Amino acid sequence: MSLLFSPLTIGETTFANRLWVAPMCQYSAVDGFPNEWHHVHLAQFASGGAGMVMAEATAVSPEGRISPEDVGIWSDAQQAAWEPIVAAIHSRGAVAGIQLAHAGRKASTWSPLTGERGSVPPALGGWETVAPSAIAFEGYATPQPLDLAGIDHVVATFAAAARRAVAAGFTVLQLHAAHGYLLHQFLSPLSNHRTDEYGGSFENRTRLLRRVVAAVTEAAPTAVVAVRFSATDWAEGGWDVEDTVRAAALVADMDVSLVDVSSGGLVAHQKITTGPGYQAPFAAAVRVGVDVAVSAVGMIDTGVFAEELLEHGDADAIMSAREWLRDPHFGLRAAGELGDDIAWPPQYARARRR
């Protein structure tokens, strides 16, 4: 059996394999509710051999949505809407995860499905955004700096969302501290110019993340709590790999048991060098420097390449995104590439051999 299709145990949770579905926004919700599209979209990956299926960035509050069409979990009714989706993932043998998110200054934007770019004005269904500082993402509206009461509210919404997520059946809760969204905005000196206890030093800029981690682990003690980091801003003077390793060590000491390593998204002037597995070295740096399970993501689109990254020690698991969109049975295909004899859904067994 390959490493990719060997089980991985984190805490009390065992994943059948290490090829997972990364969160991918669908911009298809109404009032934050997941619907039939989300049900079919996510369940198909579990049928296709994924060890974990993670739901897209799910807003912890209405103002935390990236776009008006984003899903949320700020109400009991939304929790109920997620429950059959989670059950469908579990019934097909995969672990269900959810990414809990607040978009901060990158909220209230047009869905990319509309072809528009920039902030949605309040008259058309948008809202005023918040951030650590009144610094706009290029082309977006200027956000309102959060005061201390506003920060307390953010922490409380993450905790409430975590409780609802566990009640809906999710096993893994990933806190989105990457891609230029609110928690990442507090981490990076490029977007955080505060002069209070939430700005300036590394300790202060990580304070909100640490508070959210503490609140979520207390609210959901049975969950696998994960954090997604952007390992670098790809911009001078920004958050970098060394910062990520330090922050990962801090949250690992607070019962975070999985760190997912991505990059970028904070500023429009970022200079990214991409290529197959281009973020794997960042994941490796965290895995070497911190005693925590690590997943790698970024242009990993074959089973053979995923296996090479695991054999090299870059990560404990692989997150893929677009390859699952191209082929919802990527897991079954990757196992075939590696010669692994994994279980197929019995309904599909007739297609197993050509």
Side-chain angles (χ1 to χ4, degrees):
M1 182 66 68
S2 66
L3 281 174
L4 188 62
F5 287 94
S6 64
L8 175 65
T9 299
I10 299 177
E12 301 297 317
T13 299
T14 297
F15 303 82
N17 64 58
R18 302 164 188 243
L19 183 59
W20 300 346
V21 179
M24 293 177 280
C25 290
Q26 298 297 291
Y27 305 104
S28 299
V30 177
D31 296 329
F33 282 84
N35 52 46
E36 182 189 21
W37 176 267
H38 302 90
H39 191 136
V40 175
H41 167 70
L42 294 169
Q44 67 180 339
F45 302 134
S47 297
M52 177 172 67
V53 177
M54 183 164 287
E56 65 196 83
T58 303
V60 298
S61 61
E63 65 274 14
R65 290 172 293 169
I66 301 168
S67 78
E69 292 78 28
D70 276 31
V71 290
I73 194 164
W74 65 79
S75 75
D76 293 344
Q78 290 166 344
Q79 172 193 312
W82 280 111
E83 289 173 7
I85 299 173
V86 176
I89 294 169
H90 286 160
S91 72
R92 290 160 171 79
V95 172
I98 187 170
Q99 186 182 67
L100 302 180
H102 190 304
R105 70 178 187 172
K106 293 178 76 175
S108 188
T109 60
W110 293 103
S111 158
L113 305 186
T114 68
E116 301 287 341
R117 187 184 182 278
S119 298
V120 179
L124 296 178
W127 55 91
E128 184 177 66
T129 59
V130 296
S133 304
I135 305 170
F137 185 84
E138 185 177 77
Y140 293 4
T142 300
Q144 180 70 26
L146 281 164
D147 60 17
L148 296 182
I151 289 174
D152 289 345
H153 175 69
V154 167
V155 175
T157 59
F158 270 97
R163 284 190 288 270
R164 290 192 178 98
V166 170
F170 286 105
T171 302
V172 179
L173 312 182
Q174 186 190 84
L175 308 180
H176 200 355
H179 300 169
Y181 298 122
L182 185 65
L183 297 180
H184 184 187
Q185 291 162 26
F186 270 84
L187 293 176
S188 177
L190 296 179
S191 49
N192 183 348
H193 291 186
R194 298 177 74 98
T195 58
D196 63 2
E197 63 265 43
Y198 289 93
S201 68
F202 175 86
E203 179 182 5
N204 286 353
R205 286 183 283 109
T206 60
R207 191 179 305 279
L208 176 58
L209 174 62
R210 289 183 284 115
R211 286 193 61 192
V212 168
V213 167
V216 167
T217 53
E218 180 180 3
T222 63
V224 174
V225 178
V227 175
R228 169 172 269 194
F229 286 104
S230 276
T232 172
D233 290 338
W234 297 99
E236 185 177 355
W239 183 262
D240 59 23
V241 179
E242 290 74 20
D243 292 329
T244 302
V245 173
R246 290 177 66 191
L250 288 175
V251 298
D253 286 342
M254 299 175 68
D255 295 328
V256 165
S257 50
L258 175 65
V259 170
D260 184 39
V261 184
S262 187
S263 69
L266 184 84
V267 291
H269 64 272
Q270 62 188 6
K271 304 288 187 186
I272 302 180
T273 302
T274 64
Y278 70 103
Q279 296 173 147
F282 305 146
V286 174
R287 191 169 187 262
V288 169
V290 185
D291 184 17
V292 69
V294 174
S295 56
V297 65
M299 300 179 69
I300 305 169
D301 56 11
T302 70
V304 171
F305 185 39
E307 179 73 5
E308 289 174 357
L309 294 175
L310 295 179
E311 288 180 346
H312 190 256
D314 290 341
D316 299 283
I318 301 298
M319 286 274 202
S320 289
R322 296 182 189 186
E323 193 59 25
W324 286 103
L325 297 183
R326 298 183 188 104
D327 178 4
H329 301 109
F330 176 36
L332 303 181
R333 190 189 86 218
E337 290 176 19
L338 296 169
D340 287 332
D341 187 22
I342 69 168
W344 278 47
Q347 297 90 336
Y348 293 172
R350 75 192 76 169
R352 189 166 185 170
R353 296 286 184 265
R354 290 188 179 274

